[in-house]
Structures are given as C-alpha cells and as structure tokens.
C-alpha cells in the first residue's frame, strides 16, 4: 500500500523507514514508512515503496521498529508561563512543609535582591492539605518579594514583602470572584485565590521582552523533547506579541494558536478583519474565558456543596450575563469560544449559554469548547455531543486530583469525573492537553493517565474511577486528529496523510503493543515539525 499522490514531486527530503506508523487516518491506520518533501508529507506506505523516493540528498531515519505518530497537539497550555517556570523555583514535588521552605530559601539565596520570585507550582496536598502561609517563608526571603502559585494557578502565596508592595493588609476589601485567606484576627495569611490574585499581580513588574523571548525559546525546546508539535496557548494580547516577534525572527519551532480573553472579542474581530487569522505556525481567532476556579483551590462551582466544606459550593469568576454576551458576540463574529468550566454548576452554565447561542444564531461551525470539563453532572454528559461542544480535557489532572478528589467531592460525583469513556460513548469530541504549567506538557504521561487512570500516589493500580478508562488509540486521537479539529486545523494536520504538514513524532516503542503502565516510560526519539527535526534524542 502506497498512497503517493503528489505528481512530479518524487524525491523525499526526509524519509522514515522500518517504523510502526500510526497514521490516525481511519482508512489506512497503519503503515511502516513515511516520506516528506519540504514541510509536507509526500507518501505514507511500506518501506520498499518509500525507499524508491530516497535520493542522495534525502535524510533517512531508520526507526528500527519504533512507533511514528502524528505530532502531539497540546490543546491547552499556558506556554509562556511554562517557559518562565522552567527557570524559577521548582516546588511541584516538594513533599513537606520543610522541603517547601528549604527550596524557596535556596532559590532566594541565588536571586538578585529586589527581584520577584514567581512560579513554583506548589501543591499543599503533598503535605496533607495545610495551606502555606507568609510566615513560613518570610525569614527565608528577606530581600525578595515572593509570589508563587499553586500548580493549578488558582491560588498563590505572597510573602510579607509582596503583600506590602501590593498594599494588601487587614483593611483590604474582598474581591468579587476571589478570596483573601485571613487568620483569626483578619490579617491576610498570604494566600490569595482567583480574582483576588490580581491585587498582587498588579504590583508585580512585568517581565521584560527579553525575558519573555527566553521563556518562549525554553518552552519550545522543552515541549519538542516531549513530542509536542502544536500548542494552543491561553493568553493575552501581549503574549501574542511575543509569538509574533518570534515568528518575524524565524524562531518559532512549535505551532501556536494563541487565544486572547473572551471579553476582548471585539478587538479580536477587528484584528482578524484587518490581518486575517494567521498561518500554519501562528494562528489567531479563538477566545478564552473562565466560568469558575479549580477543584484543588475549592473555587470550582458545584451544584451541591463540597463534601469537605458543607457550606461552600465554590465561586463564579465571571457573571453569567457577561459570559452570555461575550459568547454571543464572539460567535456572531465567527470567532471560536473556549471557556474554562470545572465544577458541574459551571459546566451546566456554559452548556446552557452555548445551547442558547446555537439556537439563536445557528452558527455553521462554531467549534465551541469547554476547557477542563472535569466534573460533569450525569444529565449533562449527552449535551456535549448534542450541542456540539468539544471537551478539552487534561488526563494528567485526573491521576493527580484522583489522589484526594474523593474527599472533596465524594464518591458519587467522582463517577462522572474526567468522564472520558462516557463522553466518547456519547459521541462527544475529546481533545487532550496538559494545561502546562499546571501539569507537565508530556503527552505520553497524558496517554498513560487516560488509559490507566493510575493516580500519582500509586494507590489505584486498577485505576481511579476505572470505568472511565479509554484505549491508547482513543487517547492518541484526542492528542492528534481531534485536537486538530478542536483548533479548526484538521485539513492541515493531526493525521499522517499525503499533503498534510509533516509534523510527527518517533517513539522508541509502539504504545499499542506494550502493557499500559509502560507507556509513561516510552521515550521520544525525534520530533519533526514541518519536515524539520526540532528534537532528536538517543535510544
Ligand atoms: Zn489553563
């Protein structure tokens, strides 16, 4: 079987032979070789046939039985924050209060006095759930304001210097859609949640353009090592400038689709009218907003109270009227709307809005997205396919939250948590992503998570809520063809077919032929974007 159709272009610039090629193309799911000409796939088929396209100048990759998949598309990242976090204090795996403090102290000792220490990605669940406080770290950070986020980005810890810079104290008023955690005397402990974080964000000097450029370069290098060829960035207008600058300078190595805040949809509509929607490397046309917060911060909006906080149903970060107005305007302007909703109340609210807008406007192809869609009320499961809402989900979060989520939402609600199986069975479209820097941008770990649902603490060897497991190929589709669909790029990428962009990954083993728990140990040997090898590692 050889599916070459590009007449005249019979010489490959790059060829991969002796591979197990998973094409993602339902008509020809498997092949064993691939030829590329320039940035485009020239042929997919068997090694003997592809070898005929090899010329003296052709670069030949002998896969020696390794697996080739379409390049992974990370459908939800905070790419620049991820890049910045690679260069900051690392707290994600700090296992105790002492370790948390010690790492911050060690990092502060190397930081120039006066500079802000940010990032961190701490997780208080690692030491039993006690929230950190400013007095834990004040003595360790006498010369630097500290403003470090929980790994979910929905709460952050400030030390006393940062609170002083932001003028946050006992008298500071609460912020709608947020919370200032206080001690018994009303004094802020240093933890600010969701919208209240803006109090300190505002006081922090913006990183320089040069810092942002370096963060982008670091992020591109890091994701290439993990097989990611495209990323959908949840960002701001100034982030878009960072990507534009990189494109102008020829530095983009990851394809970026850059979202801007939904509240600014009119500005995006004007920009698209003036400049178009970009190209294969940098595209615009999508918008992002929040309905609620996160589970780990107790700010996700639920229909019923949290199991461990019987008076609390979480919070709404934006008002339903605003969300409707923005969604309606953006859809009418032909823009794609992507809305973060985690709790069942938030998900229902946004499904209602999408349904209403669909009935009012009958948009031809809106590709509505709910980001995360973590805790879906059973009655709402069929509505994803019914309304045509893509569920953009982060399987790694499932094996992370699964360590403690039962305590927060109880076993009943857990049954339709990260409901991959239910959604697919109900014909919904799943796109996967990492939410980096909330979780690592490692699709192989994401596939492992979706297939095994083994929590990070190894307490659920058969999987947490095992009825929601999916197969390797289903998980692959969510990272490739359906992720391409979720960014309106399925004609250009997401499967390995003649004429599509030559974005692919070479793995050392075939994911479909190894025990599922092994998937997380599979290695990326090469990552190719548009025919160019952006990462190559040894066996
Ligand atoms: Zn996110």
């Amino acid at each position: 079987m050889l599916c070459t159709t590009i007449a005249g272009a019979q010489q490959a610039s790059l060829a991969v032979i002796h591979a197990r090629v998973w094409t993602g193309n339902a008509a020809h799911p498997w092949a064993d070789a691939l030829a590329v000409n320039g940035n485009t796939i020239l042929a997919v088929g068997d090694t003997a046939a592809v070898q005929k396209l090899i010329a003296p100048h052709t670069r030949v990759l002998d896969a020696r039985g390794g697996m080739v998949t379409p390049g992974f598309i990370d459908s939800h990242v905070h790419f620049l924050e991820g890049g910045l976090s690679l260069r900051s204090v690392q707290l994600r795996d700090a296992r105790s209060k002492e370790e948390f403090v010690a790492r911050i102290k060690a990092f502060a000792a190397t930081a120039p006095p006066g500079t802000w220490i940010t990032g961190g990605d701490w997780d208080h669940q690692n030491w039993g759930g006690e929230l950190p406080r400013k007095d834990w770290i004040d003595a360790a950070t006498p010369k630097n304001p500290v403003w470090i986020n929980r790994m979910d980005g929905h709460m952050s810890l400030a030390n006393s210097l940062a609170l002083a810079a932001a003028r946050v104290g006992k008298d500071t008023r609460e912020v709608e859609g947020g919370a200032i955690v206080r001690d018994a005397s009303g004094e802020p402990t240093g933890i600010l949640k969701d919208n209240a974080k803006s109090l300190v964000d505002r006081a922090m000097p913006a990183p320089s353009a040069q810092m942002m450029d370096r963060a982008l370069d670091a992020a591109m290098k890091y994701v290439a090592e993990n097989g990611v060829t495209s990323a959908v960035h949840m960002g701001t207008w100034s982030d878009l400038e960072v990507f534009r600058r990189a494109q102008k300078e020829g530095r983009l190595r990851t394809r970026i689709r850059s979202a801007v805040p939904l509240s600014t949809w009119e500005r995006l509509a004007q920009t698209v009218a003036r400049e178009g929607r970009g190209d294969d490397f940098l595209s615009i046309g999508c918008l992002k907003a929040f309905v609620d917060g996160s589970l780990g911060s107790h700010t996700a909006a639920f229909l019923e109270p949290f199991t461990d906080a019987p008076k609390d149903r979480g919070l709404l970060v934006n008002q339903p009227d605003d969300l409707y107005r923005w969604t309606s305007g953006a859809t009418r302007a032909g823009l794609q709307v992507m809305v973060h909703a985690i709790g069942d109340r938030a998900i229902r609210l946004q499904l209602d809005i999408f349904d209403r807008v669909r009935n009012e406007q009958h948009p031809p192809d809106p590709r509505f997205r709910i980001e995360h869609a973590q805790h879906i009320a059973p009655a709402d499961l069929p509505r994803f396919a019914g309304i045509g809402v893509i569920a953009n989900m982060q399987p790694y979060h499932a094996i992370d939250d699964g360590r403690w989520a039962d305590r927060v939402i109880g076993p009943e609600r857990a049954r339709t948590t990260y409901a991959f199986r239910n959604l697919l069975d109900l014909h919904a479209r799943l796109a996967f992503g990492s939410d980096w820097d909330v979780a690592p941008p490692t699709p192989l770990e994401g596939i492992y998570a979706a297939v095994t649902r083994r929590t990070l603490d190894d307490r659920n060897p058969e999987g947490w809520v095992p009825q929601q497991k999916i197969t390797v190929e289903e998980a692959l589709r969510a990272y490739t063809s359906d992720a391409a669909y979720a960014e309106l790029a399925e004609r250009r990428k997401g499967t390995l077919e003649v004429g599509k962009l030559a974005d692919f990954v070479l793995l050392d083993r075939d994911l479909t032929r190894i025990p599922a728990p092994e998937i997380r140990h599979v290695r990326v040997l090469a990552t190719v974007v548009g025919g160019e090898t952006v990462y190559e590692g040894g066996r």
Side-chain angles (χ1 to χ4, degrees), residues 71 389 432:
V389 176
F432 279 164

Side-chain angles (χ1 to χ4, degrees), residues 43-112:
V44 183
D46 57 48
T47 292
V50 164
Q51 269 166 336
K52 292 187 188 133
L53 303 171
I54 293 174
H57 67 275
T58 307
R59 208 167 97 75
V60 179
L61 266 173
D62 187 337
R64 292 191 275 157
M67 184 185 203
V68 170
T69 72
F72 297 128
I73 298 172
D74 192 326
S75 293
H76 183 124
V77 284
H78 305 271
F79 207 67
L80 299 174
E81 290 84 344
L84 287 169
S85 75
L86 291 172
R87 309 167 64 91
S88 188
V89 59
Q90 304 296 321
L91 299 169
R92 181 183 297 276
D93 55 351
R95 294 278 152 216
S96 64
K97 173 184 169 182
E98 292 68 35
E99 196 179 349
F100 173 84
V101 174
R103 287 199 195 178
I104 293 168
K105 184 174 183 178
F107 187 85
T110 68

